[in-house]
Amino acid sequence: MIELDGSLGKSDVVNSELISLERELSSLRRIGSIDSFGLYLYGLVLKDKGCESLAVTVFVESVNSFPWNWSAWSELQSLCTSTDTLNKLNLKNHWMKDFFLASAYQELKMHEEALKRYECLLGVFRSSDYIQSQIATALYSLRELDEAEVIFEDLLRNDPYRVESMDIYSNLLYAKECFSALSFLAHRVFLTDKYRPESCCIIANYYSLKGQHEKSVLYFRRALKLNRKYLSAWTLMGHEYVEMKNTPAAIDAYRRAIEINPRDYRAWYGLGQTYEVMNMPFYALYYFRKSSYLQPNDSRLWIAMAQCYESAPLQMLEEAIKCYTRAANSNDSEGIALHQLAKLHGVLGHSEQAAFFYKKDLERMEAEGRQGPNMVEAMLYLARYYKSEKKLEEAEFYCTRLLDYTGPLSIEQN
């Protein structure tokens, strides 16, 4: 298997035993003298030969015969690339089936369904660190970073030498820019086992947060030497190459990630960003569309696509508005979408819609206790809009608020 994978790419080594193995195992299956582990091996042979449909059938037979072989479940999961395939599986009811479905939902980005399954399993296996880590991973994927962080901290407290799933925790700490916590985690996993792909990935994240992108790439490459199919390492290494302005290497890394898992929306998104940097907006749009199709509830993807439509070469403002609308309906925590919707409607002369979105944006900023140029812009537009509509009381209300505004830009904007 190591020869097949090569160090960082596929080699042309062919397993010459596959044909004889398949012949022998298929005849044993036909006469019914094969056990679940023989079926598991037969499934592996079929998968390597590209007979995926039959491989699924054989793996199902294997897990139905002996449900406790997690390796067989994992191989079956790797072949379930859509919910349709998953729903068609004829699996016997067993608690291992629940573990499999939860893991498959997680892989198919159905994080809410995965979370429900894992929470049910936690009711039975109360002290399972594995289930806790999967719940934390699902929460991280749903952008519930604070809740996920609490669970990861508990996991480390219970098991200080834990390395499994700590790479997800390092991604979370990176996203929150918790430098000291990430530094502590990197030091801990280095002392525990520095030759694990997860450890290399955590150390790479630490160097990335420090801005040492060359060292970060070095550790991502180490992670990939230990496990060539380590998906997040390819994707994150692509991000590092983007930071280093090495676009060919970034594109190669993202494409490797997509080869391993075509459902990895982060790699598609990374390709979109890279082609946008290269001023190739139509290519960028293709990849942004792919990523938003795979992760339709992520506002960041819709905003990226909208900004691409809005950019100088395209100027497709109506399309940008549609994307910003999707972003606003997808829990846009940064509030970029509402402000841009207001601006674009203003540019297109849709004054009523612009006023509506400026008002909503203003309400959001007040609720979050934010101030700044966006607040001034919103109040100024609303004052002018209501004045043009002869609604002088409303216009006076926003003018008074502008006069009372203590921010640094109020006089300049007025």
Side-chain angles (χ1 to χ4, degrees), residues 53-72:
S53 172
L54 183 54
V56 167
T57 307
V58 170
F59 282 130
V60 167
E61 286 175 23
S62 174
V63 296
N64 282 342
S65 168
F66 184 83
W68 299 276
N69 179 10
W70 183 247
S71 297

Side-chain angles (χ1 to χ4, degrees), residues 11-192:
S11 67
D12 53 1
V13 179
V14 177
N15 185 351
S16 57
E17 305 298 330
L18 282 181
I19 296 165
S20 58
L21 273 169
E22 185 192 7
R23 196 181 299 124
E24 187 180 341
L25 290 164
S26 66
S27 63
L28 286 169
R29 177 176 173 249
R30 200 163 42 248
I31 60 173
S33 61
I34 191 170
D35 68 359
S36 63
F37 294 98
L39 286 167
Y40 164 59
L41 180 59
Y42 184 32
L44 285 176
V45 170
L46 289 167
K47 186 184 167 191
D48 272 8
K49 285 197 73 185
C51 308
E52 294 188 355
S53 172
L54 183 54
V56 167
T57 307
V58 170
F59 282 130
V60 167
E61 286 175 23
S62 174
V63 296
N64 282 342
S65 168
F66 184 83
W68 299 276
N69 179 10
W70 183 247
S71 297
W73 288 109
S74 298
E75 291 297 335
L76 179 58
Q77 183 184 309
S78 71
L79 295 169
C80 294
T81 53
S82 69
T83 48
D84 289 341
T85 314
L86 197 62
N87 295 334
K88 285 174 187 170
L89 297 178
N90 187 21
L91 298 166
K92 288 182 182 175
N93 279 331
H94 192 276
W95 52 266
M96 280 296 284
K97 177 187 171 183
D98 292 322
F99 274 101
F100 164 72
L101 287 174
S103 180
Y105 287 146
Q106 191 95 289
E107 192 65 30
L108 292 169
K109 313 296 179 196
M110 298 163 68
H111 303 299
E112 287 171 0
E113 290 85 346
L115 196 56
K116 285 173 192 167
R117 289 265 174 184
Y118 281 125
E119 283 169 349
C120 289
L121 284 164
L122 195 63
V124 181
F125 303 93
R126 287 190 175 85
S127 56
S128 168
D129 282 356
Y130 168 77
I131 296 173
Q132 287 277 23
S133 70
Q134 293 303 306
I135 288 171
T137 303
L139 288 168
Y140 167 73
S141 302
L142 290 166
R143 311 298 296 165
E144 302 289 346
L145 301 187
D146 294 334
E147 288 178 49
E149 188 176 8
V150 169
I151 297 171
F152 279 126
E153 283 171 358
D154 285 344
L155 281 169
L156 266 184
R157 215 173 289 120
N158 296 337
D159 179 6
Y161 300 102
R162 184 181 181 84
V163 177
E164 292 87 357
S165 71
M166 286 298 110
D167 53 332
I168 308 293
Y169 182 35
S170 78
N171 292 343
L172 184 152
L173 294 173
Y174 184 95
K176 292 185 77 174
E177 296 185 2
C178 300
F179 186 82
S180 57
L182 184 52
S183 170
F184 176 72
L185 180 64
H187 184 67
R188 179 178 272 187
V189 295
F190 182 82
L191 294 177
T192 303

Side-chain angles (χ1 to χ4, degrees), residues 125-347:
F125 303 93
R126 287 190 175 85
S127 56
S128 168
D129 282 356
Y130 168 77
I131 296 173
Q132 287 277 23
S133 70
Q134 293 303 306
I135 288 171
T137 303
L139 288 168
Y140 167 73
S141 302
L142 290 166
R143 311 298 296 165
E144 302 289 346
L145 301 187
D146 294 334
E147 288 178 49
E149 188 176 8
V150 169
I151 297 171
F152 279 126
E153 283 171 358
D154 285 344
L155 281 169
L156 266 184
R157 215 173 289 120
N158 296 337
D159 179 6
Y161 300 102
R162 184 181 181 84
V163 177
E164 292 87 357
S165 71
M166 286 298 110
D167 53 332
I168 308 293
Y169 182 35
S170 78
N171 292 343
L172 184 152
L173 294 173
Y174 184 95
K176 292 185 77 174
E177 296 185 2
C178 300
F179 186 82
S180 57
L182 184 52
S183 170
F184 176 72
L185 180 64
H187 184 67
R188 179 178 272 187
V189 295
F190 182 82
L191 294 177
T192 303
D193 187 352
K194 62 182 177 182
Y195 297 112
R196 287 279 291 274
E198 294 94 334
S199 303
C200 295
C201 200
I202 292 163
I203 296 163
N205 273 340
Y206 163 72
Y207 280 120
S208 179
L209 196 58
K210 278 185 80 175
Q212 297 182 20
H213 302 297
E214 290 84 358
K215 274 194 175 180
S216 180
V217 165
L218 176 71
Y219 275 95
F220 281 130
R221 292 188 77 83
R222 281 185 188 176
L224 290 163
K225 279 185 179 176
L226 293 164
N227 178 4
R228 194 189 72 83
K229 291 188 176 179
Y230 188 23
L231 179 66
S232 62
W234 282 117
T235 308
L236 294 171
M237 189 165 73
H239 296 345
E240 294 307 304
Y241 280 128
V242 169
E243 291 291 334
M244 292 161 67
K245 306 286 190 288
N246 187 347
T247 47
I251 288 167
D252 181 55
Y254 290 136
R255 290 197 189 283
R256 296 290 186 97
I258 288 162
E259 272 176 33
I260 296 164
N261 183 0
R263 295 189 60 81
D264 180 23
Y265 78 93
R266 296 172 307 163
W268 290 110
Y269 176 60
L271 279 170
Q273 285 188 310
T274 309
Y275 279 106
E276 195 173 25
V277 167
M278 292 166 71
N279 290 320
M280 299 170 77
F282 288 105
Y283 280 87
L285 277 174
Y286 170 78
Y287 294 116
F288 284 142
R289 279 199 199 104
K290 280 272 192 185
S291 66
S292 59
Y293 170 74
L294 293 168
Q295 191 83 346
N297 297 321
D298 194 327
S299 60
R300 295 167 302 169
L301 310 182
W302 291 108
I303 286 167
M305 208 190 319
Q307 286 170 343
C308 198
Y309 276 123
E310 209 181 335
S311 62
L314 300 183
Q315 285 287 299
M316 296 166 71
L317 302 188
E318 293 286 356
E319 297 299 322
I321 284 172
K322 287 176 190 172
C323 293
Y324 281 127
T325 305
R326 286 294 298 265
N329 295 333
S330 302
N331 191 23
D332 173 27
S333 56
E334 293 175 30
I336 296 169
L338 283 176
H339 182 72
Q340 289 302 115
L341 279 168
K343 282 186 84 164
L344 289 180
H345 279 299
V347 168

